[in-house]
Amino acid sequence: MKKLFATAVTAIGLLAAAIPAMAQNYPNRSIKLIVPYSAGGVTDQLGRTFAEFAGKRLGQPIIIENKTGANGTLGAVQMLNTDPAGYTLTMIPIGVFRMPHITGAQYDPLKDLTYISTVCGFNYYIAVNASSPWKTLAELVDYSKKKTGPVSYGTPGAYSSQHIGMAQLGEKAGADWTHIPFKGDADAMAGLLGNHIQAVVSASSVLPYVTTGKMRVLAALGDKRSPDLPNVPTLKEQGYPIVHTSPFGFAGPKGMDPAVVKKLEDAFRDVYNDPQFQVALQKLGMSPLYMDQATYTKYARDTYLGERDALKAMVASVNK
């Protein structure tokens, strides 16, 4: 009996000693990063750019896996069945904190995720095909009111920031338009260019099309004008007190070793501070926004709890 007890104690001691060693050797193989939107969109481009920079600092490649649908929450869902060793991570859009209040979710944002950091945030825009007759937001709203023809708009998913913002605008402006959810920005862009929809509410995926003259932006959804499109007024400037911005972060499953999280946090901070990464963010039309692990964890909690009542009221209003 004493021998058995001694053996058990020895095994526990060896296991305890092995845990720091495992963290010290992390990572010793490639890491998978889930991008919860379709390939080709600005989120996918951000994920691949970030993976390249972070992989060099961690000494292992970071492989991108696209998981589309469910308003960008499939990465969070996958964390429920992911080993917490730190070899599968996910990008976290703001919808991860909202969907539990809107449609329900399999995961709990406060219990099932280990937040690591953020490096940037999105700017959102309302855009139309450059060949369309609408030069201003007022003209698009007026057209929808007169029901001269169908007006539908695309977003990367139901109850995304883009959908909620446009629903709010429709309610305040008395506009009559229809929401068409896509799997990501790239798909919504294709829908607009193919004239299958009349408008799109998107992140900086619209910027290249604006540069080439294929799209026209009618409004920005930020609190201030975007530095990428300084001549485009915000919704606030056009008389609609509607603001939507979106920090974008990284997380893993619950139960991650704090030492591994610290390694990731340090590497991600180094990426953020890299001047070349800042240039890459600018090219993608993203706004730099860094939060460390503690700050991001608090932001997640505050956002999830702080928006609960407002989102439930909004859903009730949209579904009337």
Side-chain angles (χ1 to χ4, degrees):
M1 186 70 172
K2 289 182 179 179
K3 185 177 181 180
L4 179 62
F5 178 75
T7 301
V9 170
T10 300
I12 292 172
L14 291 172
L15 178 61
I19 291 174
M22 290 170 61
Q24 188 175 0
N25 294 331
Y26 174 87
N28 57 22
R29 54 187 170 88
S30 63
I31 298 169
K32 180 168 67 176
L33 176 62
I34 297 173
V35 174
Y37 292 106
S38 56
V42 67
T43 307
D44 178 65
Q45 295 176 56
L46 168 64
R48 292 176 189 278
T49 300
F50 178 83
E52 181 179 353
F53 278 85
K56 291 177 181 178
R57 283 160 174 80
L58 291 167
Q60 292 289 343
I62 298 179
I63 311 301
I64 298 298
E65 179 179 318
N66 296 91
K67 282 190 170 293
T68 62
N71 193 26
T73 63
L74 291 184
V77 171
Q78 182 158 332
M79 292 302 100
L80 294 173
N81 299 308
T82 294
D83 189 315
Y87 290 96
T88 299
L89 308 173
T90 184
M91 298 177 78
I92 299 288
I94 198 169
V96 166
F97 312 125
R98 291 174 171 168
M99 292 311 288
H101 303 314
I102 295 171
T103 60
Q106 300 175 44
Y107 61 88
D108 183 330
L110 303 186
K111 297 178 180 179
D112 295 326
L113 297 167
T114 299
Y115 297 99
I116 300 169
S117 71
T118 68
V119 294
C120 63
F122 284 123
N123 297 313
Y124 295 124
Y125 309 96
I126 299 172
V128 295
N129 200 313
S131 62
S132 74
W134 310 298
K135 302 295 191 297
T136 67
L137 180 65
E139 291 177 355
L140 179 64
V141 169
D142 186 59
Y143 181 89
S144 73
K145 286 181 176 180
K146 292 179 179 178
K147 296 184 173 63
T148 308
V151 177
S152 59
Y153 66 92
T155 75
Y159 295 109
S160 58
S161 292
Q162 297 94 309
H163 176 204
I164 293 172
M166 201 67 167
Q168 289 174 313
L169 176 60
E171 183 177 358
K172 292 183 180 299
D176 182 17
W177 44 44
T178 302
H179 176 230
I180 307 296
F182 288 85
K183 291 183 178 180
D185 274 350
D187 299 318
M189 298 293 106
L192 181 63
L193 293 173
N195 291 315
H196 303 297
I197 53 178
Q198 286 67 53
V200 70
V201 193
S202 174
S204 52
S205 297
V206 303
L207 297 179
Y209 298 103
V210 174
T211 301
T212 57
K214 294 181 179 180
M215 292 186 188
R216 181 185 306 118
V217 176
L218 307 182
L221 275 66
D223 187 55
K224 299 178 180 178
R225 293 193 183 197
S226 165
D228 295 302
L229 296 173
N231 295 324
V232 175
T234 65
L235 287 177
K236 284 174 60 178
E237 290 179 275
Q238 299 185 67
Y240 303 105
I242 299 167
V243 175
H244 283 277
T245 56
S246 180
F248 218 99
F250 302 89
K254 67 179 179 180
M256 289 181 65
D257 185 335
V260 170
V261 175
K262 185 65 166 61
K263 276 195 172 185
L264 290 168
E265 179 188 17
D266 290 346
F268 293 0
R269 183 180 60 249
D270 287 348
V271 171
Y272 176 82
N273 289 326
D274 188 323
Q276 292 185 341
F277 182 70
Q278 291 291 324
V279 170
L281 286 182
Q282 185 177 11
K283 288 181 179 179
L284 289 172
M286 307 291 288
S287 297
L289 176 62
Y290 180 75
M291 290 187 229
D292 61 18
Q293 198 265 340
T295 304
Y296 189 30
T297 300
K298 182 179 184 302
Y299 167 84
R301 180 179 181 82
D302 291 348
T303 301
Y304 173 68
L305 297 177
E307 292 190 340
R308 178 173 51 200
D309 293 341
L311 283 171
K312 289 183 177 180
M314 194 178 301
V315 170
S317 175
V318 170
N319 291 332
K320 280 183 179 179

